[in-house]
Amino acid sequence: MSESVRSVSVDVPAKVNLLLRVGPRRPDGFHGLVTVFHAVGLVDRVTASDSDELSLSLHGPESRGLPAGPGNIAWRAAELLAAAHHRRPAVELSIEKRIPVAAGLAGGSADAAGALLACASLWELEGAELHSIATGLGSDVPFALRGGTALGTGRGEVLADVEVGASLHWVIAASSRQLSTPAVYAEFDRLHPQAATPDRSSATSVLDALRSGDLDRIARGLGNDLQEPALALAPELAATLRAGTEAGALAALVSGSGPTCVFLASGPEHAQTISDVVAASGTCRLAIPVQGGAPGAAAQTPHASR
Ligand code: C5P
């Protein structure tokens, strides 16, 4: 008689940056940031199942071309967690990918966070130090664990709570191209050789707006220092941004290092309308309405099955 396999699944959200202020490159190669992370309801599902050895399979609409071995950040997450707990990374990982890759949505970070949490749960690791392992994997991985809306400083790994007085609705417009995050930061350096280190006070206006829940104030407070370099590398994004603005979005901006564009809507129906109009404009690969403030990996009860 064969024993059934134990497995744990975790949904992990994509993020957009409501504010992204970038400073000069630091000696460690990263840039100091003041950012407001915002998780949205577009998720990858990471499943960890008992196995004799580490393996990874990728499924779903956005999985094409991704490495299914040590080159995948989820694989490294399982290895690092196992090493930190002096055990073999004996787990079968399976990822259902819906978050576009190299898109400024932290999809790889989501998969790493999902793998950390699913493995920690499968291996019943009490008090696992997920945050420090997450930081070692990537600047956005700690936020993918946490979700919601958070102020990020340092290189994005130092997180603090942000109060949001309204439920926010967005449209995500995915591009048919990818942008490399290091390439966009390098273009930022080229365009701004004298960039000043951003101060937390640069987030005051958007944080106040978010607390108030006033959508027009929120729209005015959004900003992204990586938008200019992303547009320099992918000038066609200007047409996507314009399509969203013409469709009636309260605000239009590039998400993180791009090339995904995001549009603020006044509610779920408005988001659906903007999404339909932007999709029909032919200026993007895919437009999806999503709600903001989605829970992070660690905020969920993993789904277990035997
Ligand atoms: O931390 P993560 O692996 O996601 O970063 C990918 C790349 O993006 C880094 O190697 C670096 O080139 C750039 N980056 C940066 N400053 C940050 C975050 C990322 O320069 N705060």
Side-chain angles (χ1 to χ4, degrees):
M1 202 172 70
S2 68
E3 270 189 33
S4 57
V5 174
R6 292 165 63 245
S7 72
V8 175
S9 292
V10 185
D11 288 344
V12 199
K15 65 85 189 149
V16 300
N17 300 79
L18 305 185
L19 182 77
L20 181 50
R21 294 290 171 235
V22 178
R25 186 181 291 274
R26 310 188 311 199
D28 65 2
F30 290 95
H31 292 71
L33 307 178
V34 171
T35 188
V36 178
F37 289 114
H38 185 63
V40 293
L42 171 65
V43 302
D44 282 353
R45 173 163 290 189
V46 181
T47 301
S49 306
D50 274 338
S51 176
D52 290 337
E53 59 182 30
L54 181 53
S55 67
L56 171 63
S57 59
L58 296 149
H59 315 271
E62 302 290 341
S63 62
R64 219 156 47 113
L66 278 177
N72 193 296
I73 191 171
W75 179 289
R76 291 201 302 280
E79 283 186 330
L80 279 178
L81 182 67
H85 291 268
H86 312 289
R87 53 179 299 145
R88 288 179 53 244
V91 63
E92 180 188 320
L93 291 173
S94 165
I95 304 180
E96 175 77 17
K97 275 218 67 74
R98 298 190 200 95
I99 306 174
V101 175
L105 295 169
S109 301
D111 299 344
L116 284 180
L117 193 73
C119 289
S121 176
L122 186 74
W123 296 336
E124 297 173 355
L125 304 178
E126 296 293 328
E129 288 292 319
L130 296 189
H131 187 276
S132 65
I133 298 174
T135 300
L137 284 160
S139 310
D140 295 338
V141 183
F143 177 72
L145 282 174
R146 177 188 182 113
T149 307
L151 178 67
T153 52
R155 62 179 169 96
E157 85 285 19
V158 182
L159 299 172
D161 279 338
V162 166
E163 201 187 313
V164 184
S167 68
L168 301 180
H169 296 267
W170 305 89
V171 174
I172 288 182
S175 169
S176 51
R177 70 180 289 163
Q178 302 184 338
L179 278 178
S180 136
T181 304
V184 176
Y185 274 103
E187 182 66 9
F188 173 87
D189 294 338
R190 201 182 65 76
L191 291 168
H192 299 283
Q194 309 292 340
T197 302
D199 191 87
R200 282 171 82 106
S201 64
S202 60
T204 304
S205 140
V206 74
L207 293 179
D208 287 348
L210 286 166
R211 196 174 308 115
S212 77
D214 180 327
L215 295 181
D216 291 321
R217 277 182 68 192
I218 294 170
R220 286 196 301 275
L222 303 174
N224 180 2
D225 285 348
L226 294 183
Q227 178 157 318
E228 183 193 17
L231 280 166
L233 297 176
E236 72 277 11
L237 297 181
T240 317
L241 292 171
R242 205 173 321 117
T245 305
E246 285 171 7
L250 305 183
L253 78 168
V254 167
S255 174
S257 54
T260 303
C261 295
V262 285
F263 308 112
L264 178 62
S266 57
E269 281 133 40
H270 192 213
Q272 186 63 58
T273 306
I274 294 167
S275 173
D276 293 344
V277 174
V278 170
S281 73
T283 62
C284 63
R285 173 168 67 86
L286 178 76
I288 323 165
V290 291
Q291 188 163 349
Q300 304 189 26
T301 312
H303 326 280
S305 64
R306 273 176 198 274

